[in-house]
Amino acid sequence: QPLRYTKATVLRVPPALTLLRGENFPRTDSVVTNIIGLAETKITAYNTYALCVAGAYFGKFNGPIMDFIPPKLETIGGSALRGQSNLTGPLILPCAKTIGGNSFDGCSSITELYSTSPNLTTLSANAFKDCTQLLKVTLASPVLSSVAVDVFNIAITNLTWFSAPPASREAFDNLITKVA
């Protein structure tokens, strides 16, 4: 935990950054509430609890959620951004393959999920639990095959598919079961 005693509130990261681990930050003196440059990095995966408030690695970030989403992000681990309720606006995931359980749980100010990735295969349990302002979901993956029945727990009012819906009827049914 190289930042344990720094009392840093803001970090600036270089575009060449390829890995960010929540464990690098202290659980006790969590004062980091902003990471500048994260959206310009080469990070392809957020591990479990990467930017999580509930794991007590970070404080709450403020501003557009896209300021914290690298453009090449493919894997979003469980509880990666859990509790980041002050992040606002649309969540755009052009390269997503896997969205883990509780990834965006409590991110109540996300307004839209927009994933044009043709490689999205997995939406895990409670991935968007309590995303109370999330009303619009746009997907494009014909290979979506693993969808938990409780990905959303709110009423999605607009679901758009850019390609044919997934070949698995179960995946589609699970996507809309609780929110139809």
Side-chain angles (χ1 to χ4, degrees):
Q1 297 181 343
L3 301 172
R4 183 170 185 102
Y5 299 107
T6 65
K7 302 287 186 190
T9 58
V10 177
L11 298 177
R12 181 178 302 276
V13 294
L17 185 70
T18 59
L19 179 64
L20 176 72
R21 298 177 58 99
E23 301 88 42
N24 289 337
F25 299 88
R27 283 186 175 260
T28 53
D29 297 327
S30 299
V31 293
V32 176
T33 56
N34 194 7
I35 302 177
I36 299 170
L38 199 53
E40 289 81 39
T41 64
K42 296 180 180 180
I43 295 173
T44 59
Y46 278 161
N47 66 331
T48 301
Y49 301 114
L51 300 175
C52 178
V53 172
Y57 291 120
F58 294 101
K60 286 190 179 182
F61 299 139
N62 291 301
I65 192 165
M66 290 312 297
D67 287 353
F68 301 91
I69 304 295
K72 302 283 185 197
L73 192 62
E74 295 178 353
T75 303
I76 303 158
S79 299
L81 284 101
R82 186 176 193 175
Q84 290 291 358
S85 59
N86 294 342
L87 295 181
T88 61
L91 173 60
I92 302 167
L93 300 171
C95 298
K97 292 181 179 178
T98 301
I99 300 176
N102 297 96
S103 294
F104 298 96
D105 179 4
C107 292
S108 56
S109 298
I110 295 174
T111 56
E112 178 180 357
L113 168 59
Y114 188 82
S115 177
T116 55
S117 172
N119 301 314
L120 180 63
T121 60
T122 305
L123 289 169
S124 299
N126 299 311
F128 295 93
K129 179 181 176 190
D130 296 332
C131 291
T132 54
Q133 293 184 32
L134 177 63
L135 300 175
K136 183 176 183 182
V137 175
T138 303
L139 301 172
S141 178
V143 296
L144 186 60
S145 57
S146 178
V147 177
V149 72
D150 52 0
V151 171
F152 307 103
N153 69 336
I154 42 89
I156 303 300
T157 58
N158 186 333
L159 174 61
T160 303
W161 221 283
F162 278 157
S163 67
S168 166
R169 181 176 170 103
E170 180 181 359
F172 185 74
D173 286 348
N174 285 354
L175 187 64
I176 66 170
T177 295
K178 287 198 171 188
V179 299

